[in-house]
Amino acid sequence: MADPELAAPPMAEIAAASPDDLEPPICRAHIRDILAAGGALAGQRVIVGGWVRTGREQGHGTFAFLQVTDGSCLATLQVIVQAAVHPLARLTAAGTSVLVEGELRRPPEDSKKATVAIELRVDRVIEVGETNPATYPLPKGNIALDTLRDVVHLRPRTNTISAIARIRHQLACATHRFFDENGFLYVHTPIITTSDCEGAGEMFQVTTLFSQAEKLEELKENPAPSEADIEAAKLIVKAKGDAVAQLKAARASSQEVSASVSELTKEKENVLRLEERSKLKPGIPIKDDGTIAFENDFFKRQAFLTVSGQLQVETYACALSSVYTFGPTFRAENSHTSRHLAEFWMVEPEIAFANLQDDMNCAEKYVQYLCQWLLDHCEEDIEFISKKYEKNGRHDQTAINRLKLVSSTPFVRISYTTAVDILKNVEGHEFQNKVEWGIDLASEHERYLTEVIFKKPVIVYNYPKEIKAFYMRLKDCCCYGCSCATGW
């Protein structure tokens, strides 16, 4: 039984302890939570930290209004600071970082311009990170996305990038939540691999040969050791070994033997370094047949950034039944379109003991789950992105309405052959890409099926095997010599 005097103190006591050399925790409130509560928090004291979106002095310089954001939501919190509390000129510049404490209050009822439900009246300014208004690169108005490429460190402070960050975060949360609720296990698959999973595109190669080649430039100033140098070092090793043997035979003290063994070890390591250095040759190592000698590389063979975790996750499915991987993948395709990315995150579920119907059911439920999750957690951000970037002008086709449609509507499921027949019989519309059985459907074909024909999501299955990946399962059929179809 443990000594009561040595027993660990309760966690509450540990949390309550405040060492003399540490300042107390800040415990700031998130603007998202303050605004969500509306006026219910009026009268409470809080600490808020964030960045000034806009600021202006009022009342002939007696106080200032600050619109502060902390990234927790799209909206800003109105903060009021009196000149007696802090010099106003140091607070009002866009981009200024502030950490303030005060009381939450409802705006005065007689204020005709009151547009907020709650505001913060500051009585203590804890920290201020000033900016120079003349050089701060983010304007108060709109800024082109291309321009943001030159101010990468400030991009997340814009409404667009911060909204996208919150949306992506929620999609990742929903992904893990969905698969966990449906009995899947999350599997981490390698980012660096020696296999080309799909064999359908270029891969980014991972190698240390170039950095090694650069290091070889030092051979010009410090040449590699010769065979004579290595032999001389080996003779020293032999002499040190003999010295150790003599000390042991003479029953020398353990201290003397240990010191001698240490010297022997150092000389052996020196020989290894000399032998390794003697193999160095300028440039990339090349075999006799002219190919690169990857056996000199870090992994002793070619290695690449993964294009898919599918091969690894399939092995887990054969042991754990339902699994998925969710991580970065890389494609070195020389295609500069919005559909071709060098790096992106991909969800790859694998289900054992399931057929194509089970696969489609899982995909439909997952997409609907994500759409409903966004409606529940990101509606403000989705509406902002929709208003700013959607140009169709139709209320029924906004992002919010599309999410509502997808989340609540069963998906249409048609075979590839049926899809081709429907598209061939379309009248009054001419496709840029010819519709023909045996070729892959183009984006315009897919959009026409979903947006015009069915007006809802569509799953197309049983494609011809010639246009699908080699690992797709062939559809069972009773005919002979046919061009069998594969899964979706």
Side-chain angles (χ1 to χ4, degrees):
M1 185 174 180
D3 187 335
E5 294 185 0
L6 300 179
M11 289 301 297
E13 294 182 16
I14 296 176
S18 179
D20 294 336
D21 58 341
L22 290 177
E23 59 182 345
I26 294 173
C27 300
R28 70 181 179 90
H30 292 121
I31 291 176
R32 173 194 61 220
D33 299 329
I34 294 173
L35 298 179
L41 298 179
Q44 292 192 19
R45 289 188 60 80
V46 296
I47 294 177
V48 169
W51 296 268
V52 176
R53 182 68 56 78
T54 61
R56 69 186 189 279
E57 294 186 26
Q58 294 285 92
H60 303 289
T62 58
F63 66 96
F65 283 114
L66 309 178
Q67 297 300 325
V68 177
T69 174
D70 64 358
S72 61
C73 62
L74 185 67
T76 59
L77 175 67
Q78 182 164 285
V79 175
I80 302 175
V81 185
Q82 299 293 330
V85 175
H86 199 84
L88 302 182
R90 299 179 57 189
L91 299 173
T92 55
T96 300
S97 174
V98 295
L99 182 65
V100 295
E101 183 177 6
E103 183 179 334
L104 293 171
R105 297 183 184 179
R106 293 186 178 91
E109 295 182 0
D110 59 348
S111 176
K112 297 180 180 180
K113 297 183 179 179
T115 58
V116 295
I118 196 81
E119 60 188 15
L120 179 64
R121 300 293 182 92
V122 173
D123 53 38
R124 185 167 77 106
V125 175
I126 303 172
E127 296 286 350
V128 176
E130 296 183 54
T131 59
N132 185 348
T135 59
Y136 190 68
L138 297 184
K140 294 182 180 179
N142 292 332
I143 182 171
L145 293 178
D146 288 345
T147 305
L148 291 177
R149 295 179 182 273
D150 298 326
V151 285
V152 178
H153 61 299
L154 295 176
R155 283 191 302 178
R157 294 195 186 181
T158 63
N159 284 335
T160 296
I161 302 301
S162 62
I164 290 173
R166 288 186 292 270
I167 290 170
R168 177 164 177 159
H169 163 76
Q170 290 297 339
L171 286 173
C173 290
T175 292
H176 292 298
R177 187 82 171 264
F178 170 83
F179 286 111
D180 181 62
E181 291 176 358
N182 286 274
F184 284 74
L185 291 179
Y186 180 32
V187 177
H188 293 87
T189 55
I191 292 178
I192 300 176
T193 178
T194 58
S195 62
D196 182 357
C197 176
E198 298 184 349
E202 295 294 326
M203 305 175 70
F204 287 104
Q205 188 160 330
V206 178
T207 180
T208 60
L209 292 180
F210 293 105
S211 58
Q212 291 178 18
E214 292 174 355
K215 293 177 182 178
L216 292 176
E217 292 298 320
E218 68 184 52
L219 289 176
K220 297 177 182 178
E221 299 179 0
N222 186 14
S226 63
E227 291 185 7
D229 295 330
I230 296 175
E231 288 301 321
K234 288 181 177 179
L235 289 175
I236 295 176
V237 169
K238 185 178 184 305
K240 294 293 182 181
D242 292 341
V244 171
Q246 291 173 4
L247 288 173
K248 288 182 177 180
R251 298 182 179 276
S253 67
S254 59
Q255 290 86 353
E256 291 178 306
V257 173
S258 296
S260 184
V261 169
S262 178
E263 293 179 3
L264 173 61
T265 301
K266 290 180 181 179
E267 295 301 330
K268 285 183 176 180
E269 292 175 350
N270 183 50
V271 169
L272 291 176
R273 284 194 298 268
L274 292 174
E275 288 179 335
E276 191 67 27
R277 186 172 172 76
S278 68
K279 299 176 183 178
L280 297 178
K281 296 179 181 179
I284 302 296
I286 304 296
K287 295 181 181 180
D288 294 337
D289 60 1
T291 60
I292 296 176
F294 283 104
E295 57 268 22
N296 295 305
D297 207 348
F298 184 87
F299 294 108
K300 310 303 180 185
R301 59 181 297 181
Q302 284 182 285
F304 308 90
L305 295 178
T306 182
V307 299
S308 169
Q310 182 178 342
L311 291 180
Q312 288 88 358
V313 82
E314 282 178 350
T315 64
Y316 277 80
C318 291
L320 305 175
S321 298
S322 295
V323 295
Y324 73 103
T325 183
F326 179 33
T329 54
F330 307 85
R331 307 288 173 89
E333 298 179 17
N334 191 25
S335 300
H336 305 287
T337 73
S338 59
R339 291 175 173 266
H340 294 84
L341 299 175
E343 176 184 356
F344 57 95
W345 279 57
M346 184 160 60
V347 179
E348 297 178 279
E350 293 291 340
I351 316 171
F353 312 111
N355 58 23
L356 186 57
Q357 282 275 31
D358 296 307
D359 203 6
M360 289 190 286
N361 290 341
C362 179
E364 180 175 335
K365 286 174 60 180
Y366 171 60
V367 173
Q368 290 183 325
Y369 190 95
L370 292 188
C371 292
Q372 187 59 51
W373 187 276
L374 289 180
L375 290 170
D376 295 338
H377 296 83
C378 294
E379 187 168 1
E380 182 185 39
D381 289 318
I382 296 291
E383 284 184 345
F384 166 76
I385 295 294
S386 178
K387 289 178 181 178
K388 187 167 184 178
Y389 294 100
E390 289 192 310
K391 307 300 182 182
N392 55 44
R394 290 183 55 179
H395 176 72
D396 62 330
Q397 291 186 359
T398 63
I400 292 292
N401 286 323
R402 289 198 300 273
L403 288 173
K404 291 179 179 178
L405 171 68
V406 175
S407 65
S408 60
T409 306
F411 291 10
V412 174
R413 303 180 184 186
I414 58 174
S415 68
Y416 169 85
T417 300
T418 300
V420 171
D421 290 341
I422 292 174
L423 292 169
K424 278 188 172 182
N425 292 320
V426 168
E427 297 180 356
H429 180 85
E430 186 175 347
F431 295 109
Q432 294 182 352
N433 298 277
K434 184 179 179 181
V435 180
E436 185 177 349
W437 198 98
I439 63 174
D440 208 353
L441 298 180
S443 296
E444 61 171 331
H445 303 145
E446 296 170 345
R447 295 195 63 167
Y448 198 87
L449 288 170
T450 57
E451 297 176 4
V452 180
I453 300 296
F454 296 105
K455 295 182 174 59
K456 63 181 67 176
V458 178
I459 296 177
V460 179
Y461 60 91
N462 284 353
Y463 278 77
K465 67 177 182 179
E466 287 80 9
I467 59 175
K468 298 302 287 185
F470 66 92
Y471 50 77
M472 300 291 284
R473 180 183 181 274
L474 289 178
K475 177 179 178 294
D476 296 327
C477 62
C478 57
C479 52
Y480 178 75
C482 69
S483 181
C484 294
T486 68
W488 59 298

